[in-house]
Amino acid sequence: AQTVTQSQPEMSVQEAETVTLSCTYDTSENNYYLFWYKQPPSRQMILVIRQEAYKQQNATENRFSVNFQKAAKSFSLKISDSQLGDTAMYFCAFLQGGSEKLVFGKGTKLTVNP
Amino acid sequence: EAGVAQSPRYKIIEKRQSVAFWCNPISGHATLYWYQQILGQGPKLLIQFQNNGVVDDSQLPKDRFSAERLKGVDSTLKIQPAKLEDSAVYLCASSLAATSPYGYTFGSGTRLTVV
């Protein structure tokens, strides 16, 4: 079974600085997708960024980018120019190609300090 | 487009009582999911529907939890009787297809407290 590990329960960063959240996963397959979701206090899970495993190029969405290391099974999220509104829980998630189950890590609580 | 709607937002019940949660997915989304998120953990899949049929309910405690999806649209998740350990946020999500590479769209969840 696929597992997703987020080793940082909590992190903090100063406003305007850069922070990196770690995620590792375990799979024996080659076709899969990886996601980072943000969950603010409103509880809604919001998709931040996604990566297809077959793509070597790292995904980027404005201030959010990933470092996808397929051989190391690592998928870290970098947030540049952190903003107060980035304060939230961040979940790394894995979806096996052809599967139907999105598997989440335990999350990292990120606090952006003014 | 409208998002995934869930109600109620909050619910407090005593143990052994029953409770029901409602979810209305995004129009046209064939696949619907119910996740349980216990405090401090990531969401865990309880049940998945494809249209109005159950695809995966292997993690659903069937002795107390039940779910249905009427006419392949709205869905209801019920707990009867509730236990203290059922205290959690219950998230509903939907997607165009089960293997959508775009992930799922989630609702805001229902926070259940069992006392």
Side-chain angles (χ1 to χ4, degrees):
Chain A
Q2 288 81 21
T3 58
V4 178
T5 302
Q6 294 179 248
S7 59
Q8 306 152 312
E10 292 192 42
M11 293 194 71
S12 62
V13 64
Q14 292 299 120
E15 194 175 7
E17 293 187 345
T18 296
V19 63
T20 299
L21 308 184
S22 301
C23 173
T24 59
Y25 58 94
D26 184 27
T27 183
S28 57
E29 304 295 329
N30 281 314
N31 179 27
Y32 53 88
Y33 305 91
L34 294 161
F35 306 87
W36 278 97
Y37 280 89
K38 169 185 178 181
Q39 187 178 42
S42 66
R43 299 200 302 262
Q44 185 167 14
M45 299 284 275
I46 301 164
L47 180 63
V48 174
I49 198 166
R50 66 181 182 92
Q51 174 82 40
E52 293 91 337
Y54 63 86
K55 289 187 176 179
Q56 292 186 334
Q57 186 173 5
N58 290 323
T60 299
E61 288 287 342
N62 300 314
R63 299 183 294 107
F64 299 88
S65 61
V66 298
N67 183 4
F68 174 48
Q69 301 289 326
K70 191 172 183 179
K73 296 179 183 176
S74 171
F75 183 61
S76 60
L77 174 69
K78 186 172 82 171
I79 305 174
S80 304
D81 186 25
S82 297
Q83 301 176 359
L84 297 179
D86 295 334
T87 293
M89 286 291 295
Y90 286 81
F91 291 94
C92 179
F94 174 98
L95 179 65
Q96 182 68 51
S99 170
E100 300 160 335
K101 185 181 296 186
L102 191 61
V103 178
F104 287 88
K106 290 189 174 183
T108 296
K109 182 179 180 181
L110 176 67
T111 302
V112 180
N113 299 308
Chain B
E1 64 180 1
V4 175
Q6 287 190 249
S7 66
R9 285 277 288 168
Y10 304 91
K11 191 72 177 180
I12 301 175
I13 62 172
E14 295 182 349
K15 59 182 179 183
R16 291 188 290 274
Q17 286 187 326
S18 63
V19 64
F21 314 127
W22 174 82
C23 173
N24 180 239
I26 291 176
S27 177
H29 279 196
T31 310
L32 184 146
Y33 312 81
W34 282 101
Y35 279 81
Q36 180 192 56
Q37 185 179 15
I38 293 174
L39 184 65
Q41 298 183 19
K44 181 188 80 172
L45 180 68
L46 290 176
I47 188 167
Q48 176 193 345
F49 291 94
Q50 182 73 19
N51 296 310
N52 61 351
V54 175
V55 174
D56 183 353
D57 62 357
S58 57
Q59 299 296 309
L60 189 73
K62 299 181 187 63
D63 58 333
R64 299 182 300 104
F65 286 64
S66 64
E68 61 180 2
R69 189 178 184 193
L70 302 175
K71 299 180 182 179
V73 183
D74 293 6
S75 178
T76 303
L77 176 70
K78 296 179 181 178
I79 308 175
Q80 181 180 13
K83 292 185 176 181
L84 296 177
E85 58 261 37
D86 298 332
S87 293
V89 173
Y90 290 85
L91 294 165
C92 179
S94 69
S95 66
L96 276 171
T99 55
S100 170
Y102 299 97
Y104 308 165
T105 301
F106 285 84
S108 295
T110 296
R111 181 181 297 280
L112 173 67
T113 303
V114 183
V115 297

